[in-house]
Amino acid sequence: MGRKLNDWNQVNPENSAGPISYFGKIFAMLLVLSLGTGAVVYVVSYFQEGAQVVKEETSPRVLLRKYAWFKDVSATLDAKAKNIEAQKARLKALQDANTEDGKVLPRSKWARTDLEESNQINAEISGLTADYNGLAAEYNAAMAKINFRFANQGDLPAGADKPLPREVRPYQ
């Protein structure tokens, strides 16, 4: 009745695809499966990395460090503002010492030591003001970042009695 095929030479090439076709189908299925699996792994790892970043940025240790940084910078800015005011008071006292009939004498009539001291005080005021403004800009930039929003005014941690300012104005 039916004849059994013992080798490929007996197969009619018009009716049979042969072994290459079977391997091709298996290869195509494996390729599609691996591409699909790769895409799923990529998407999962993308979200997993996002979750890891959130975990790292909102851990209690990191939040405490960031809040302490804001408190330290705020205190430093307050100290710098007081130092600027102290230098301005020194300059005012020097000007008062060089006042006659309620008017400050022209600098050309000041003693040489007073002129040198006045120049030194003005240089110190300029340096302190520049330092204050640089630190204030860093504070403001950090406060605007989304991962520092927890320190914004109105969102106080338990036990805090004075909120940190949202923004520090440059010293005029």
Side-chain angles (χ1 to χ4, degrees), residues 2-19:
R3 202 168 86 163
K4 215 173 184 186
L5 299 176
N6 292 332
D7 64 51
W8 286 104
N9 293 331
Q10 297 174 348
V11 175
N12 183 355
E14 294 177 7
N15 296 334
S16 177

Side-chain angles (χ1 to χ4, degrees), residues 79-109:
K80 288 182 186 302
K82 295 294 183 193
N83 289 341
I84 291 170
E85 293 303 319
Q87 293 299 329
K88 285 185 175 183
R90 277 184 62 205
L91 187 59
K92 175 95 171 81
L94 190 59
Q95 289 171 343
D96 289 346
N98 288 290
T99 299
E100 203 173 85
D101 297 328
K103 291 185 179 182
V104 177
L105 294 172
R107 287 179 52 98
S108 60
K109 297 198 183 228

